[in-house]
Structure formats: structure tokens, C-alpha cells
Amino acid sequence: MTEPDLVPPQQLGGLPTRGRVLRAPGRHAIRALLDAGNAVFAEVGFGRASVDDVAARAGVSRASFYLYFANKDDLLHSMAGECTEAVVEVCRRAGTGSDDVAAALRTWLREFLDAYRRHAGMIRAWNEEEVDDPELVALGRRVIDEFEAAVSRVVAPSSLRSRADSFVLGVLVERFANLLTTSAAVDADDAVETVAQMIEHAFASR
Amino acid sequence: MTIDRAERRAPYGASPEVGAVGQRTRERLLDAAKEALADVSFHDLRVEDIADRAGCSRTSLYQYFSSKEHILLVLSTRVTRDLEAVTSILDGLGPTRAGRDALTAWIREIGAVYARHASVFRAWSPITPADEVKGRAMSVMAVYHRDLGQRLERAGARLPDVEIAAQLLFATVLRCWHRAFRRETDVAADTLATSMAEVLHRSLFATKVGR
């Protein structure tokens, strides 16, 4: 299977921007729309969100939205590309931190949490199976695979006794980020420290 | 739990009393909603479809439920009741082998509850916290998490925040079962339950106990 191409950052606009050279205001609008998409889809879900909601959150007109994206699905496409890149990037840094393994684990958990929060709307759409496009579904799978491989790298390989162990560890870390993204009542510092100690207790650190 | 009480809503009928036939209709509607949620999202679920599936009219549905939100709330109450019913298994939780076995048994039971109510679990997460249903369901879950946290504390879990640990424990178990049911892993259910118990038991108590 060929891997779906990642969307290069300079081409984050949707179908209407193909072949167009965008100037700064256009790039700013695209940035604002992608961020608004993540905020709105995280709050109400992709299915219930409308183009109007996203445009209003981004502070642009409905007409401007259509200068850069053909529709809500087109926006989701760009969001998926950007989210994949961000998660893959964070995953590559897993297990490569300083010699202080305890500090490296906590730093990585925070980096992952930041990426998860920035892309919360896209991740919610994937998690809740609101993505129908096979290409995006495949991209979602790839994100999960990269993530599970990365999580396994933050602990000593010898402490993962089976594939099931890596699976459980991956779910634990994903739920940690999910909890902090969906529940305002949970303190981030407490949660990072708690999950870090849970990982340290369960697996020997590398 | 007064939410899950068979009651004829005003202005239908002279009294809220529901007889045996009404009780059965109400149960049929709840089953129909659960079935329908396996096929469509809560957002796309229509009251008409629930009534159709249950073989009754919309008017008859409205005698018992004010909305699809009301139905989901009743279904959610039953999920919570089933979850709470297995919590006492955790009385045996502790940093010992017997404690790990208690966790294994609880994890399996949570899996069984998930299997019975899979469509309700799936309908739940997409609802936004602003919705009334979600608000009420979340306050029930907050009590559940607090109870779980107190159990972890009593069992001797040494973590900075046991309530966060309790939420992570429960969320991880549910999500693992969810993904197993969605066939997103080829790890067998039995292996998965054992692995969840071993990993999570160590994560809570930092002690290794033999298999």
C-alpha cells in the first residue's frame, strides 16, 4: 500500500487554492480557518458543525471561506494532512530526549498533549468515526500506527512483553491527552505527573 | 434513580401510572433506540425511526419520552447502573496477586457491560457537554470517578492524583474494549484483558506480582 502524501504546509488551502500563489492575507485566513475548524469540531463534532460556525470562529466571512476551501470536507482534508504531520513530528521525538529519562518522558507527554489539543477537532472526527473518505481513514490509521510505535519507544523495549502491552500503553497515553482536552476540570500538571508515574510503574524506563 | 421510571407524561392520560402493556411498549422503545444507535449516529437518529422500529406510533413514544435526548438519558442511566453493579469486585483490589486478579475480573466485567451497551457508549461521546443529557450523565460519571478514586486510595495506590488515575484507568479500559469491538486490534479479547490487568495493576501499585 502506498502511503498517502502529506500536504506540504505552504499548500494547506483547499481545492480552490490549487495552482494559486497565496499572499499573506490569504495564508492568514487559511491558518485562522484551520484553527477554527479544530476548535469548532472539537466542541460540537464534525457532523454538527457548519461552514458558518467555522467562518465565524475564524473571523472571516462565509464568502471568504469558499475562496480557500470548497466545503467542510475539503477543510477536513487539509486539517487531516496538518494533523498527521504534527503527530508524526512529535512521534519522531519520542524516546530521543536527554539522558534524564524521567524529564524526557514528561517533556514528551507535554509535547504530545500540545499537538493533540491543537488538532483536537480532527482527532475527534477520527475517534468518532465521522470520517468517511477512505483516503482520510487510511491517514487516520497511519497516525495511530506512528503513535503506537512512538509510545513504545518511550519505554524500555524489554518491558513490553507483548503487542497487547504496547496497545494498552498507547490507549493510556491517548486517553490522558483526551481527558485533558475534553475536561477543563483536570489540572494538566497533575495529569502529566500522574500518567508519567503510571508509565514508570508499569514499564522500566529506557 | 427517578430518571428511569415508567411514567405517562402529561397531558397523555389522566394519571402517570403505566400498566403492564405500557411498560412493555416503553421497554420496546428503549430496545429499538439502542438498536437504531448501532446503525446511525445520535445526531442522525430520528424519533420516527425509533417508533417505527418498536412498531408503535410517534404519539405513543411521546407518552413515555419527551425527546430522543430523554431516551438516551434513560439508556445511559442503565449503563451507569450496570457499571456500578460490578464495582464491588474492586473490593479485593490491592498491590497483591489477589488484587491483580480482582482487577482482571473487573476489567472483564466492564468488557461485558460494554458489549451489552456498545451502541449507547458510542452515542455518548459525540454529544457536547453543553447538552442537558451530557451534563447530567457527566455528573453521574463524576461521582463514579470519585468512588473509583477512593477505592484506589484505600487499595494503596501511590500516585500524585488518584482521581486522575481512576479516570485514566476507567477510560483506558473502556477505550481498549471499544477498539477491540471495532476490530482495530487483532489481539484476542482474553489476551487483551490479561494485558490490561497486568499493565494497569503495575501502573497503580508499582509492584510486579507473578502470573
Side-chain angles (χ1 to χ4, degrees):
Chain A
M1 201 180 85
T2 54
E3 287 182 350
D5 287 337
L6 299 185
V7 182
Q10 65 275 21
Q11 285 172 27
L12 280 172
L15 296 172
T17 66
R18 293 280 160 87
R20 270 169 61 196
V21 178
L22 293 165
R23 286 181 300 172
R27 292 198 301 270
H28 286 312
I30 290 170
R31 179 74 263 144
L33 286 164
L34 290 166
D35 292 343
N38 271 303
V40 173
F41 299 168
E43 274 168 33
V44 303
F46 175 70
R48 293 217 300 191
S50 69
V51 164
D52 285 335
D53 297 336
V54 177
R57 180 67 65 99
V60 307
S61 68
R62 189 181 155 81
S64 295
F65 177 96
Y66 290 110
L67 285 178
Y68 306 109
F69 298 100
N71 49 42
K72 201 169 69 157
D73 286 308
D74 193 24
L75 174 69
L76 194 72
H77 233 269
S78 291
M79 286 168 59
E82 195 186 33
C83 173
T84 306
E85 248 190 27
V87 175
V88 168
E89 221 273 298
V90 170
C91 286
R92 284 195 181 133
R93 290 203 296 271
T96 61
S98 63
D99 293 340
D100 183 349
V101 285
L105 171 62
R106 286 154 181 80
T107 303
W108 186 76
L109 286 168
R110 280 183 192 284
E111 286 173 357
F112 174 65
L113 174 62
D114 284 345
Y116 195 102
R117 280 176 158 165
R118 260 198 317 281
H119 299 283
M122 187 61 229
I123 293 171
R124 182 174 169 179
W126 266 321
N127 269 346
E128 285 165 11
E129 290 131 31
E130 290 203 291
V131 177
D132 299 324
D133 182 341
E135 196 188 326
L136 292 196
V137 172
L139 209 52
R141 294 259 156 74
R142 195 182 145 206
V143 171
I144 291 179
D145 290 347
E146 287 272 355
F147 171 68
E148 277 170 8
V151 167
S152 299
R153 285 197 300 275
V154 304
V155 300
S158 61
S159 63
L160 289 164
R161 285 186 295 192
S162 65
R163 248 169 354 103
D165 279 10
S166 331
F167 179 75
V168 176
L169 173 63
V171 173
L172 173 68
V173 174
E174 193 272 335
R175 287 291 103 177
F176 143 78
N178 187 273
L179 175 67
L180 282 170
T181 304
T182 54
S183 169
V186 180
D187 181 79
D189 291 340
D190 289 347
V192 168
E193 192 48 38
T194 300
V195 78
Q197 289 192 24
M198 287 174 82
I199 294 170
E200 286 166 345
H201 290 170
F203 305 99
S205 48
R206 48 188 296 129
Chain B
M1 279 285 160
T2 50
I3 292 166
D4 188 4
R5 190 169 59 201
E7 235 177 32
R8 189 160 275 115
R9 300 170 54 248
Y12 303 98
S15 101
E17 285 307 296
V18 174
V21 174
Q23 295 267 16
R24 278 201 296 277
T25 307
R26 185 173 174 274
E27 288 304 317
R28 230 172 41 234
L29 284 161
L30 288 168
D31 287 343
K34 216 162 120 173
E35 257 178 57
L37 282 171
D39 301 333
V40 298
S41 70
F42 182 69
H43 178 54
D44 293 331
L45 180 69
R46 293 168 350 138
V47 165
E48 291 83 348
D49 300 335
I50 303 171
D52 280 353
R53 267 181 203 257
C56 66
S57 67
R58 234 166 43 136
T59 316
S60 153
L61 182 148
Y62 283 123
Q63 289 192 30
Y64 308 103
F65 305 104
S66 58
S67 59
K68 65 175 183 176
E69 282 77 12
H70 185 188
I71 296 179
L72 184 62
L73 191 58
V74 174
L75 289 173
S76 304
T77 310
R78 293 186 175 187
V79 175
T80 321
R81 183 195 61 197
D82 284 8
L83 288 173
E84 281 167 349
V86 300
T87 306
S88 63
I89 299 173
L90 290 178
D91 288 350
L93 188 64
T96 58
R97 194 168 166 162
R100 202 264 327 274
D101 292 345
L103 187 62
T104 313
W106 179 74
I107 285 168
R108 287 184 200 281
E109 287 299 329
I110 297 289
V113 175
Y114 189 92
R116 274 203 300 284
H117 301 285
S119 70
V120 184
F121 276 105
R122 284 189 52 208
W124 238 40
S125 61
I127 305 163
T128 60
D131 291 345
E132 192 217 353
V133 200
K134 184 88 168 201
R136 292 176 75 169
M138 283 195 5
S139 59
V140 173
M141 285 319 293
V143 174
Y144 182 76
H145 286 137
R146 208 164 308 134
D147 174 52
L148 218 50
Q150 284 163 0
R151 282 171 182 278
L152 295 188
E153 185 119 57
R154 282 200 301 274
R158 298 221 189 290
L159 288 162
D161 191 320
V162 282
E163 203 169 316
I164 291 175
Q167 293 194 48
L168 288 174
L169 166 71
F170 182 61
T172 301
V173 171
L174 268 193
R175 190 72 187 168
C176 281
W177 285 129
H178 169 85
R179 293 190 55 196
F181 278 97
R182 302 277 308 159
R183 308 223 171 280
E184 286 178 28
T185 172
D186 49 10
V187 176
D190 218 49
T191 315
L192 184 58
T194 309
S195 186
M196 271 193 255
E198 284 178 3
V199 168
L200 293 168
H201 187 261
R202 290 200 305 271
S203 79
L204 295 172
F205 300 107
T207 43
K208 271 187 190 149
V209 292
R211 289 211 176 207

